[in-house]
Amino acid sequence: MKVGVLGAGQLARMIALAGIPLGLEFIFLDPSADACANRLGEPLIGDYNDPILLAQLAERADVVTYEFENVPAEVAEFLASHTQVHPSPKALAVAQDRLVEKTFFHDIGIPTPDYAAVDSLEDLAQAMTDIGYPAVLKSRTQGYDGKGQSVLKSANDLKPAWELLQGVPAVVEAFVPFNREVSIIAVRSVSGEIVFYPLSENLHRGGILRVSKCSTDDAMQQQAESYVSRLLEALDYVGVLALELFEINGQLLVNEFAPRVHNSGHWTIEGAETSQFENHLRAILDLPLGSTRAVGKSAMVNFIGGLPETEELLAIPHAHLHLYDKAPRKGRKVAHATVRAENAEQLSVLIQKLTALADQVDDS
Ligand code: AMP
């Protein structure tokens, strides 16, 4: 069985690392010849909309999936008309546009921060009379890791924030003074079987995820599962999906979803009985899904812009290093490490050790 992946970055690499023991083969399409998954399968090097490469991918892959959501819609449509594509082009289209996404959440009764569409500075000024300060202005498309976003604290911020977007369509939303950020990783298979992982508790800095901790027995688990199952069913979704949420005063508000394996689920490699990567493959191949039970208490720390010394990191008890085989560059995720502990106290000591190493090399 050959799995095609659009993108050959670290997510594709970890999908392949999970699939090789299951006897799967991989073919990757990525513009970069030195994309880090390329060595784990057959690389097709070129643009995502190169018709010759897409035809090769469709012909050689039994099923196609992707590692990021900004695949051009027509590419997913073309592939879906020639082979199986999971998740569907529809899920991709909803996730690609923050306005479409928020409207979709609204239509299926999942609460979000208050929001409004913004196509001009006048729209923005008008919307702010309802939304109120502080607020966040975000480009509708192509945003990730906090890119294309500005916090609006007063009317003085409107013009510079709008100009920064250079006229691209946007949404403005209420700034949520959240108690915590959490995400839920859920999986739905071709047959409709659904499983959920325990919540991840996430820490961002500068819009980039730094630390994710598995939160077992979380008071918010049930609410998150109810929201994400509604979303999975409404999209007739197949594969892993990550739903990002703000917790405020015992309520969850949805920020966004990612139609793919997600950084906040990397702890599942060592911290759950079946990793998100393996379950994504099981889901798209219509295999029985694996148990999502947490194994011990675990957390993951990202390395951004620089790598730790392998020896130093592995000297931390219970630490597991995942190097992505990417050249360090400013703001680039180049590795993560997971720790697994017996109890919460031990886990927080281990997280501190990992974050101290990550902060030493962090250049963002
Ligand atoms: P996003 O690209 O929408 O995932 O935003 C990146 C990060 O910015 C989030 O994980 C939050 O830490 C922060 N953020 C985004 N939107 C809001 C909001 N409406 N209120 C408060 N923080 C936000």
Side-chain angles (χ1 to χ4, degrees):
M1 197 63 117
K2 191 170 267 195
V3 177
V5 188
L6 290 169
Q10 69 265 22
L11 299 181
R13 180 179 161 95
M14 287 185 272
I15 290 172
L17 287 169
I20 291 167
L22 297 178
L24 302 175
E25 292 181 313
F26 290 86
I27 177 165
F28 305 102
L29 172 58
D30 193 288
S32 166
D34 39 55
C36 69
N38 278 344
R39 248 166 294 156
L40 298 177
E42 183 187 344
L44 297 173
I45 297 153
D47 286 342
Y48 292 116
N49 50 11
D50 181 317
I52 294 171
L53 295 180
L54 282 177
Q56 287 177 359
L57 182 65
E59 192 188 293
R60 291 184 209 162
D62 298 292
V63 54
V64 172
T65 189
Y66 28 84
E67 64 151 12
F68 67 109
E69 52 273 44
N70 291 322
V71 174
E74 60 278 10
V75 166
E77 296 286 358
F78 169 85
L79 289 168
S81 64
H82 289 80
T83 184
Q84 289 190 66
V85 175
H86 298 303
S88 67
K90 154 107 185 179
L92 203 64
V94 175
Q96 276 176 358
D97 184 325
R98 289 186 195 274
L99 181 62
V100 176
E101 184 184 24
K102 284 186 197 304
T103 310
F104 197 85
F105 287 138
H106 185 258
D107 290 347
I108 60 171
I110 299 180
T112 65
D114 288 341
Y115 66 94
V118 171
D119 291 322
S120 66
L121 185 55
E122 293 70 42
D123 283 356
L124 179 57
Q126 178 62 40
M128 287 313 296
T129 59
D130 289 331
I131 306 253
Y133 295 95
V136 190
L137 182 68
K138 301 179 176 180
S139 61
R140 276 174 58 173
T141 60
Q142 304 290 333
Y144 65 96
D145 285 350
K147 292 191 173 61
Q149 292 190 19
S150 307
V151 175
L152 310 171
K153 296 202 173 109
S154 75
N156 292 335
D157 294 335
L158 301 192
K159 194 159 183 278
W162 175 249
E163 283 172 357
L164 210 62
L165 285 181
Q166 301 184 317
V168 301
V171 287
V172 65
E173 63 187 53
F175 183 90
V176 182
F178 52 78
N179 306 108
R180 283 193 304 165
E181 282 192 89
V182 294
S183 56
I184 183 158
I185 311 283
V187 198
R188 186 170 178 272
S189 73
V190 173
S191 311
E193 184 187 359
I194 294 181
V195 291
F196 311 98
Y197 285 92
L199 287 190
S200 305
E201 202 177 284
N202 304 323
L203 204 74
H204 292 82
R205 200 169 63 230
I208 304 178
L209 182 69
R210 308 291 163 156
V211 181
S212 277
K213 192 166 85 173
C214 163
S215 180
T216 44
D217 304 318
D218 196 294
M220 294 290 115
Q221 182 77 29
Q222 226 184 340
Q223 202 178 107
E225 287 185 8
S226 124
Y227 292 164
V228 78
S229 38
R230 224 177 289 172
L231 182 62
L232 291 171
E233 298 290 358
L235 290 169
D236 193 17
Y237 191 89
V238 174
V240 161
L241 179 148
L243 186 66
E244 296 186 56
L245 306 131
F246 301 122
E247 185 202 325
I248 174 157
N249 307 329
Q251 289 296 317
L252 293 177
L253 294 177
V254 168
N255 179 23
E256 60 181 359
F257 79 94
R260 56 172 165 80
V261 291
H262 194 254
N263 196 172
S264 68
H266 290 0
W267 61 264
T268 62
I269 298 176
E270 288 89 7
E273 196 168 321
T274 315
S275 77
Q276 63 164 346
F277 302 100
E278 180 175 337
N279 260 338
H280 181 66
L281 290 166
R282 291 187 188 210
I284 66 174
L285 295 166
D286 205 17
L287 294 167
L289 299 179
S291 164
T292 53
R293 190 177 63 88
V295 182
K297 305 235 171 251
S298 59
M300 177 238 49
V301 172
N302 273 337
F303 287 85
I304 297 161
L307 288 168
E309 290 296 334
T310 296
E311 280 192 9
E312 206 178 345
L313 189 129
L314 297 183
I316 298 175
H318 314 293
H320 301 271
L321 178 60
H322 297 258
L323 299 172
Y324 300 156
D325 195 14
K326 285 163 71 175
R329 203 194 298 145
K330 190 170 167 53
R332 195 180 205 200
K333 291 174 184 166
V334 284
H336 77 263
T338 307
V339 277
R340 205 168 71 193
E342 306 271 325
N343 55 51
E345 294 70 40
Q346 189 192 19
L347 184 64
S348 60
V349 172
L350 293 171
I351 294 173
Q352 271 174 23
K353 289 188 181 191
L354 279 186
T355 44
L357 280 187
D359 288 346
Q360 272 172 28
V361 294
D362 189 334
D363 67 350
S364 56

